[in-house]
Amino acid sequence: MIKKVLFVAALSCGGAAFAQVHKMERVDSTVTERTYNLNPVVVTGSGHHQRLKSTATPVRVLSAQEIHEQGISTFDGALTRMMPQVSMAPNSMGSFLRLNGLGNKYILILVNGQKLTGDISNNVDLNRINMARVKRIEVLDGAASSLYGSDAIAGVINIITDQPTQNLICVESNTRVSGKGQLTEAVTLDIFTHGFGSYTSFTHDRADSYQNNGLEYVKGSDTETQPTIAPLYTGYRSNIVGQKFTYAPIDKLAFNAGFDYSYKLTDRPNTREDITGGTDYEMQYKGFRWNAGGIYKFTSKNSVQATFTADRFRYGKEYDVATKTNQVGDFVLSKKQHAYEADLKSVLGLMQNSTTILGANWRRDELEATSGSIDKGAYTFALYGQHEQKFLQYLTATVVARYMHHQTFGNHFTPKVTLMYSPGAFNFRATYSAGFRAPGLDELYYHYYAINRAKPQISFGNRDLKPEKSNYFSLNAEYHTDKLLMSVTGYYNRINDMVVKKNIDTDATSLAMLRGEFPEMTAAEADKLESYALYQNSDKGDVKGVQVNVSANLFQGFNLSANWAYTYARTKSGSEWSVLERSIRNTGTVALNYHHAWHRYALNVNLNGRLQSKTYYTGSYENAPGYGLWNINTTHTFDCTNWALIEPSLGLDNIFNKTDHRIDSSARKYALYHPGRMLTVGLKVKFKQ
């Protein structure tokens, strides 16, 4: 199987490039000694391109080189292996992403600065992210609504894509195969000539469902067990097709346009009469996103740029088992989302040692949810400005303000202020920023009724909800040289009017009301209804934490990255404080990388690990135990001709075979979803002119 896949991957590149072989010339070789760039260019912290050590807001950067050398092929793998403040919990309803203790709906995910739409139960579908085009991932902790608008309360994750310009033509295939049916195949074709660029990509990603324990407790018992086929991890098949065009007719002017189409289908065990845990249907997801924009540079310090993005996403049930109401192959729509966003921004050098940003943003979100009886839309319009000024020799101040009008919630103002003192190789930063999140259309208008495992479920939106607001404070100290970066950050994030789904017990009066709202509910079903859910502004959030980051080029070819995050996250409902669901107190990530070249061959060895304490769950759920995962990946680069590069890789995931084998029950929640030790094999083939 593995040999076949790798052979096909090589042919997929070789056939496309064969006609150009006789023309190709040697460009700069990948087989060179190298060290990690500890001072890359970033854009997320300040809204304009800036060196990392010069930005007044700390930003964590994951480069494509680091991601590749660790043998990572998925977006969630990149974040969790390298970012201790990030955690994931995958299932068929999307990955439960958390940043600094706060959930997905408080995290703004951007692609080249534009919001990614498409959520499943408030969890963005991360399979829409095209890893074949990732140049770097920038992570900004804390509230950033002043620059980026609603949802940026926990932080911002900005995916920056790559458009190479160093080759006339480049064809690349990258394949990774591992256990449990895990396969990723990415093929790209890049053409750049006379200011015109075309960038085409196709990615296929798949994984099988799996269990770590094939037993579950019999309902109502804590001792009696029975077999089940319910998976711990839900398998899937996904495809992404991407195309982008760029054109720069003159040095000062550039245009771009492109699209991404994504498709994903879960792969779960089918319903069976002899065993529990199967499903009648798979979840099907489709997304189509296109954008166009341009930038004009008056001078090196003065520019204006405009972008427009349209994003469509839908998901629903595709039946693969015949039921009383559906046949095999039937599709039932659950949710459809449309989003349109236009942004106009100017970056200006109006004064000496300063940068000013002025911008306007318009966005419209639309939601159609058949299961929730919603067909609504809302728009926002915002004006924002930022001024960054360097005073004296070492002091830099940044002031940001955003005025936003929301169709439903009116006018809101979110400020941000940062100070940075930079004597020599040190940076000392202080930040205050306000966060803002407008309740989602589902939280406002949901009118949901369904039967799940013979019991009715009811959820109501609440049109009287207030926006969620936060206040974020942080202090940062950093030491930065060409070979060493050390950083310590302490922060406090307070969220007010958190929107939560509260369960309300039923009585005779409420049952009569509910039967009037949902006439399809039978008397027998009403007898089983014990409670219904209503969205409310009832909670406060309180998150305190410390982060320590170290990156070092210790000596030629040897690099170290070590990160630790302590997070204390609480929520208050009424007068009671409790731990925030799925929060983790202590998490660390470590990566050791060795690279050495011998003429046309280079060896890269990467050892990386993630260690975390227990994951907290609320209510009757028991906490999930902590764990430590270690992985090793080796890549072998053969720059065998002037025009071709071949790079096989071999690795071992989960070296010490850590798994969570607890028997599944209604009180069990998990933090570790890994199936155990697995061999990983990859092959990268690249042809360039």
Side-chain angles (χ1 to χ4, degrees), residues 383-431:
L383 298 173
Y384 58 93
Q386 173 180 289
H387 183 72
E388 182 179 280
Q389 182 71 55
K390 185 173 183 179
F391 298 95
L392 306 174
Q393 186 176 359
Y394 302 124
L395 185 63
T396 301
T398 306
V399 179
V400 194
R402 187 182 191 94
Y403 169 82
M404 183 177 75
H405 174 77
H406 191 283
Q407 181 178 352
T408 305
F409 299 105
N411 302 322
H412 294 274
F413 177 76
T414 51
K416 177 180 178 179
V417 179
T418 66
L419 290 173
M420 182 172 69
Y421 178 62
S422 306
F426 290 93
N427 285 327
F428 300 97
R429 301 178 174 101
T431 300

Side-chain angles (χ1 to χ4, degrees), residues 181 204-208 235-239 263-267:
H204 174 71
D205 188 21
R206 64 189 298 166
D208 293 340
Y236 63 90
R237 308 287 185 267
S238 74
N239 296 308
Y263 173 87
K264 176 185 172 184
L265 185 70
T266 59
D267 186 17

